[in-house]
Amino acid sequence: MFRRKERGRDAEELDGVATFFGSHHALRAESVLKKAGYAVRLVPGPREISPHCGVALRFSYARSEEAACLLRESSVQFEAVHLYPER
Amino acid sequence: MRTLYLDNAATSWPKPGEVPRAVARAMIRGGGNPGRSGHAKSIEAGRQVLHTRELLAELFNVKDPSRIVFTKNATEALNVVLVGLLREGGRVVTTSMEHNSVARPLRALSPAGVTVEVVPAGADGRVDPRAVDRAIGSDTRLVAVTHGSNVTGAVNDIASIGTICRERGVRLLVDAAQTAGCIPIDLDRIPVDYMAFSGHKGLLGPQGTGGLFIRDERDLPPLLRGGTGSLSDREEQPEFLPDRFESGTLNVPGIVGLGEGVRFLLKRGVEAVMEHDRRLREILWQSVTADPRIRVVGDGPEAPEGARSTGVMSVVIQGVSPSTAGEALERRFGILTRIGLHCAPSAHRTMGTFPDGTVRLSWGVFTSEREIARAGRALLSIAAGG
């Protein structure tokens, strides 16, 4: 049951990475997008993308425009959204 | 003899059981430094801190939780604003009911060119908003007002003062150390620019917690600069909230405990807390005013229309010094109070109780009507010389 749910979640490819200047905003982004029904995962920020913050947020890159709107509406400050498929 | 704790204005006790349990959990099962790493423990600590911030934002009706920054107490929060805004001088309007947490930083800023206009409170311990309006001049940079007096419990009308400040184009700093968690505060409706609050009084959290609401962070430098876990490649302090004001590792166990205190209040409702405090004030006031030798400093239940008070009452007993009365209350009746000047000499001058001070009784959410009646009987017995 649990495994199936996990697999279902992974069906949405987490190929986008949002980077932030500070972790408070990364955590708020996690909370805002989760509430909006996004599959998300906090990950250590890839150094080649951004030197700023320890954590970044993975979600579906296809939804990045809509996600950016949601984050702005909630006063969440983010640096950028990158296409960065999982390896 | 069961101890009766009536010093909640200094720090609330007891706390809801979930507060110390959450503190222990944060240290035993939690761990991790928020914002410092990308591993599970760091992220979880960050989530916990954010959770408390969101609960506070809900309590004070603040849309963006980033506008609430954590400090170690209300004093530090007040210093951030006073020292930050007035570092190059300017005129400040404040009141005669301020605590030393406002009065001392202002006094220390006088060599920097800060001048202070003190608006005296009335006999009921409250400041007339029109008097604040009259004191504001074209060069006034800040109005700093206590929301609730730690000596009399009198609550100032910050909604009217805020409206006046907004109309006059002056910023308003409110010291909510005594009122946060005891009196409803709607920051979406009340035009307050900065609000300092304590975490360990009405908000029922552990000591070493407090915070500052900042409506607009422009022109406000931090008091401390240092590691924030963000913009680590630069030597400049981050400009954004909350990191600008949160240098160094946060008191995570304390903040987690504070979250549980706020959750308790959200469930109970601050209106209900205020009504409980009012009812206990009425019982105590009716009990002690039966003896003309006991003077209640400030007002009782006959307060002006619409005026509010916190669960704080100061009394003076004719012929008995506050220190003698305080000692008798503890040794003979097991009642813990605070005597003296309560770090607010100017407030005592205003109320005519300087330099001897008063006996201050302050109750809280867990104080019962029976307990407050017991305190009333003890005061009557001391006044009667018995």
Side-chain angles (χ1 to χ4, degrees), chain B residues 19 31 41 92 141 144 176 233 260 277 306 308 341:
Chain B
V19 171
K41 277 202 179 296
V92 181
R141 190 148 165 71
D233 54 327
E260 289 302 328
D277 288 347
R308 289 170 166 180
L341 294 172

Side-chain angles (χ1 to χ4, degrees), chain A residues 21 23-25 27 30 52 75, chain B residues 35 47 66 230-231 234 241:
Chain A
F21 297 107
S23 71
H24 162 81
H25 292 277
L27 291 161
E30 181 198 30
H52 291 142
S75 320
Chain B
R47 280 199 191 107
S66 323
S230 49
L231 309 185
R234 299 185 200 166
L241 293 175

Side-chain angles (χ1 to χ4, degrees), chain B residues 293-306:
Chain B
R293 286 169 294 197
I294 300 177
R295 175 193 159 205
V296 175
V297 177
D299 57 28
E302 87 299 8
E305 181 67 26

